[in-house]
Every structure is written in structure tokens, then in C-alpha cells.
Amino acid sequence: MLKKHILAYSFFVLTSCGHIPSIENPLPTTEKELKSFPSNMQGDYLNSDDNSILTITNNSVTKTYDFDFKFLKDSIGTNNYIKDDTMFDKYSNEKEKVKLLGDTIVQHVYKSIPLFEISQYNVLKEYKGHYFLNNRSGGFDWILTVLSLEKGVMTLKGIYDIDINHLETLATIRPDTTSFEIDSIRKPLNGVLIQNGIGRSPYLKLTKNGR
């Protein structure tokens, strides 16, 4: 159904990181695990670029999309047709509620994506006010995201595009270059992740009245 293509396009940013290095042990290896996020970080944060909301509780991080997706009526192809306020798939019999405004179709999209929940497979650590979200990636390796809050602005950073040659000066890299064996003594790596990781669009903290 068309909705599948809409969702795939809308959430492309979540899966378009390309080569994602994984890490041998949760970072920073010298810091203890935390059981919860601090109270000053908890709340809802708005990304004005895509209208997504990042929600942080005492033990989890969730990203929610809630917006209207607009596209031209003649773009739905021959497999779909619209009757009244519903779009139908001729072959699967699936249907979706839409609004038709002239030649434009408006479809409401709602998607809640769990990003992190503290557990033995999701380890939270802190270094100089930055929070390291270590997620077990199926085997024995970990995928890392750094969460930072400064003056009411929340940012997410990953290690996806850090120069491999730069990492070689701070970590031992496996021959397949997909995972890094991190020496716990090499604490400068923490700073590299904070300064040079990919910076996602900033999130501004929402107050109780939604602003």
C-alpha cells in the first residue's frame, strides 16, 4: 500500500546512516552504569525540522512522528484509488483514511519509535554531562549514540561518520572494520565522540503548554 512508501520515506533518516560501526564494550568503559536518566533531562523535546518529538522518561527514549503528509493525487499510481475520504489498494484491499484537497492528498502519519530503554542490553553511562546510550546489536557488539542537553537544547550524536583513520589512533580496529575494540585507558575517545559524532537536528524542550 502507498502508506508503506510514505513511512519508508518519512523515516529514512533513521536508517540512512550507512556504515554503522559497533563497539566491543559499552562506553565509556571507565564509567559506571546508570539506572535512570536525571530528572532535568526528562520531558518532551520538539524537532522543528520534521516535527518529531523526543520523549525521555526515567529509563527510556522514544521518538514520535505525528504530522500530515501531502502528495499529489496523480502520484498514487494505478494500484490505488480514492473514494470519499478513503484510499484503497485494488489488489490487497487495504485502505487508509485521507483528505482530498483539490489535486492534493493529505494523509496523517503517526509513528512511535522506541530508541532506548535501560536494561542489560541497553546500557546508559555518563561522561562530562553527556549521556552514552549503548545498545546491544544482536551479537556481542554495541551501537552507540550520545545524548546531550545544553541550555534546553537536546542533541543526538552517533559515530557513523567519524574518520576511521582518526579512530585508529584511539582504538584497536578489527580487520573487518565494522567493530572497534576500545582500550579503556584511551579516554580521549570519549571527547572525539562528543565533538565529532554526527549531530542530529536539535530538539527544543517543550513546556507543559506545548511551547
Side-chain angles (χ1 to χ4, degrees), residues 151-170:
K151 297 181 179 179
V153 178
M154 183 72 69
T155 56
L156 289 167
K157 292 183 179 180
I159 61 172
Y160 318 119
D161 278 354
I162 294 179
D163 187 356
I164 293 294
N165 294 326
H166 193 176
L167 278 173
E168 284 180 333
T169 66
L170 303 166

Side-chain angles (χ1 to χ4, degrees), residues 68-73 76 82-87 96-108:
D68 288 332
F69 188 86
K70 299 179 180 180
F71 50 99
L72 295 177
K73 183 179 178 180
I76 64 175
I82 296 174
K83 183 178 180 180
D84 298 325
D85 61 350
T86 304
M87 181 168 60
E96 303 289 346
K97 289 290 184 181
V98 297
K99 291 181 181 180
L100 187 58
L101 302 176
D103 293 331
T104 301
I105 299 172
V106 181
Q107 182 178 25
H108 187 72

Side-chain angles (χ1 to χ4, degrees), residues 17-211:
C17 299
H19 178 81
I20 303 178
S22 55
I23 295 171
E24 185 74 8
N25 296 294
L27 291 179
T29 53
T30 54
E31 307 300 325
K32 65 180 182 179
E33 296 182 20
L34 301 179
K35 300 301 182 183
S36 65
F37 288 96
S39 59
N40 70 304
M41 292 187 69
Q42 296 176 31
D44 294 325
Y45 298 82
L46 173 67
N47 183 330
S48 59
D49 289 342
D50 61 9
N51 289 320
S52 65
I53 293 179
L54 195 72
T55 300
I56 301 176
T57 68
N58 67 318
N59 67 345
S60 67
V61 180
T62 304
K63 188 171 187 177
T64 302
Y65 290 89
D66 189 359
F67 63 94
D68 288 332
F69 188 86
K70 299 179 180 180
F71 50 99
L72 295 177
K73 183 179 178 180
D74 60 8
S75 68
I76 64 175
T78 58
N79 292 344
N80 303 282
Y81 68 95
I82 296 174
K83 183 178 180 180
D84 298 325
D85 61 350
T86 304
M87 181 168 60
F88 297 87
D89 187 305
K90 291 192 297 186
Y91 299 101
S92 68
N93 293 320
E94 294 182 37
K95 57 184 180 181
E96 303 289 346
K97 289 290 184 181
V98 297
K99 291 181 181 180
L100 187 58
L101 302 176
D103 293 331
T104 301
I105 299 172
V106 181
Q107 182 178 25
H108 187 72
V109 176
Y110 179 87
K111 182 74 172 180
S112 183
I113 305 171
L115 299 182
F116 187 84
E117 184 171 2
I118 297 174
S119 68
Q120 62 178 321
Y121 302 110
N122 292 273
V123 174
L124 177 65
K125 295 191 174 188
E126 183 268 342
Y127 177 78
K128 292 187 176 180
H130 301 271
Y131 290 81
F132 286 60
L133 282 57
N134 297 272
N135 176 261
R136 195 74 171 265
S137 61
F140 296 98
D141 296 326
W142 301 79
I143 301 298
L144 176 68
T145 303
V146 179
L147 193 64
S148 304
L149 175 64
E150 296 183 57
K151 297 181 179 179
V153 178
M154 183 72 69
T155 56
L156 289 167
K157 292 183 179 180
I159 61 172
Y160 318 119
D161 278 354
I162 294 179
D163 187 356
I164 293 294
N165 294 326
H166 193 176
L167 278 173
E168 284 180 333
T169 66
L170 303 166
T172 302
I173 303 180
R174 293 180 185 174
D176 60 9
T177 71
T178 60
S179 297
F180 303 101
E181 295 181 5
I182 305 300
D183 187 337
S184 61
I185 299 176
R186 292 174 175 174
K187 292 188 68 173
L189 176 62
N190 302 333
V192 171
L193 295 177
I194 292 170
Q195 296 298 325
N196 298 333
I198 290 180
R200 301 299 185 192
S201 297
Y203 288 82
L204 301 180
K205 191 165 187 177
L206 297 175
T207 59
K208 290 184 179 180
N209 63 7
R211 295 182 177 179

